[in-house]
């Protein structure tokens, strides 16, 4: 799970873990790959506990690539883990070193399990304007994004800029975040998204 700082990655990993565990009975492992932010591992551990997930073994000072490699290895050895969800640093998409590191994380995961990661989910903050498109371009060029998750749609933001992202990059929106709680992740529904962008009252107002 990738995206810029503060967009809602860690929260989304927690919500996804809960969703997979409660809806499909999956055993989920959470990986604290955001090694830049001191509190990120504790934040993720709290989500793991609440969502009945297992936390990957975490050692301070281990680089994100090695950490993710070891986590996939640990999950394979446990034998009953269905899904591994890796959080990553809130790397600034304009910072090349950090972006290179993310490429390294992806490569490390693939070294331990051929074909993995099976999804690269980009978290986009719904309150962001068109800068969302720049972010999506950068992440997609570097690590090949397979799905978008649009967060913070519970406020006044409608996340309309994501239309440009989908239009240009052809990447589907998979989920939307509608709050900070465990249940606040919904499957993306294009019809209700468009209805929220163009409420009936707006249309009525134009017609009259
Ligand atoms: P990260 O830096 O990308 O890992 O972001 P965090 O997961 O730490 O989230 C940053 C802030 O956004 C936290 O205060 C979260 O509670 C909040 N947040 C995340 N998703 C949502 C959402 O869908 N709605 C709202 N209102 N807040 C959210």
């Amino acid at each position: 799970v990738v995206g810029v700082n503060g967009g809602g990655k860690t929260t989304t990993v927690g919500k996804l873990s809960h969703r997979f565990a409660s809806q499909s009975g999956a055993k989920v492992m959470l990986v604290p790959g955001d090694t830049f932010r001191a509190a990120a591992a504790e934040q993720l551990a709290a989500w793991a506990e609440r969502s009945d997930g297992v936390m990957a073994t975490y050692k301070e000072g281990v680089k994100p690539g090695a950490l993710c490699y070891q986590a996939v290895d640990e999950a394979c050895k446990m034998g009953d883990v269905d899904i591994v969800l890796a959080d990553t640093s809130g790397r600034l998409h304009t910072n090349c070193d950090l972006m290179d590191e993310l490429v390294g994380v992806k490569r490390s995961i693939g070294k331990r399990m051929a074909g993995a990661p099976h999804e690269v989910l980009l978290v986009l903050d719904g309150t962001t304007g068109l800068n969302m498109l720049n972010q999506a371009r950068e992440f997609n060029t570097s690590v090949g994004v397979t799905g978008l998750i649009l967060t913070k749609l519970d406020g006044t933001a409608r996340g309309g800029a994501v239309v440009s992202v989908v239009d240009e990059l052809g990447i589907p929106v998979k989920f939307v975040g509608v709050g900070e709680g465990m249940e606040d992740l919904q499957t993306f529904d294009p019809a209700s998204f468009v209805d929220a962008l163009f409420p009936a009252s707006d249309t009525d107002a134009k017609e009259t």
Side-chain angles (χ1 to χ4, degrees):
V1 176
V2 300
V4 301
N5 236 348
K9 282 180 306 301
T10 306
T11 309
T12 301
V13 167
K15 291 183 201 170
L16 281 171
S17 171
H18 171 66
R19 188 184 176 98
F20 292 138
S22 61
Q23 294 192 354
S24 335
K27 181 158 181 176
V28 182
M29 176 182 275
L30 293 84
V31 187
D34 183 355
T35 55
F36 277 82
R37 199 155 53 93
E42 290 98 89
Q43 192 186 336
L44 198 70
W47 278 106
E49 207 174 308
R50 284 154 74 192
S51 66
D52 274 335
V54 287
M55 210 37 197
T57 303
Y58 173 68
K59 273 193 228 95
E60 226 161 283
V62 178
K63 293 235 170 81
L67 191 89
C68 290
Y69 179 98
Q70 286 164 19
V72 176
D73 187 54
E74 187 180 6
C76 290
K77 285 178 178 153
M78 281 172 77
D80 60 348
V81 174
D82 300 296
I83 298 172
V84 175
L85 292 173
D87 195 7
T88 58
S89 292
R91 45 207 69 247
L92 291 172
H93 61 288
T94 46
N95 184 329
C96 283
D97 289 347
L98 291 175
M99 206 52 106
D100 287 349
E101 191 179 86
L102 200 51
V103 173
V105 166
K106 187 178 177 186
R107 201 180 303 125
S108 297
I109 293 172
K111 269 190 200 153
R112 181 54 187 87
M113 179 181 270
H118 302 94
E119 295 265 5
V120 176
L121 299 172
L122 172 63
V123 171
L124 293 169
D125 183 332
T127 64
T128 318
L130 261 185
N131 190 34
M132 205 189 269
L133 181 57
N134 294 329
Q135 290 175 16
R137 280 179 184 145
E138 296 281 341
F139 278 99
N140 191 43
T141 303
S142 296
V143 288
V145 176
T146 61
L148 306 172
I149 301 178
L150 197 57
T151 59
K152 309 189 190 180
L153 292 194
D154 46 309
T156 51
R158 293 172 180 175
V162 82
V163 173
S164 312
V165 179
V166 175
D167 185 42
E168 182 178 307
L169 303 176
I171 303 166
V173 182
K174 301 217 166 174
F175 298 102
V176 293
V178 292
E180 297 175 272
M182 206 143 73
E183 306 280 347
D184 296 329
L185 187 77
Q186 300 173 352
T187 305
F188 177 66
D189 173 35
S192 41
F193 182 74
V194 171
D195 284 347
L197 277 181
F198 305 106
S201 54
D202 284 6
T203 318
D204 293 348
K206 273 183 207 120
E207 280 169 3
T208 48

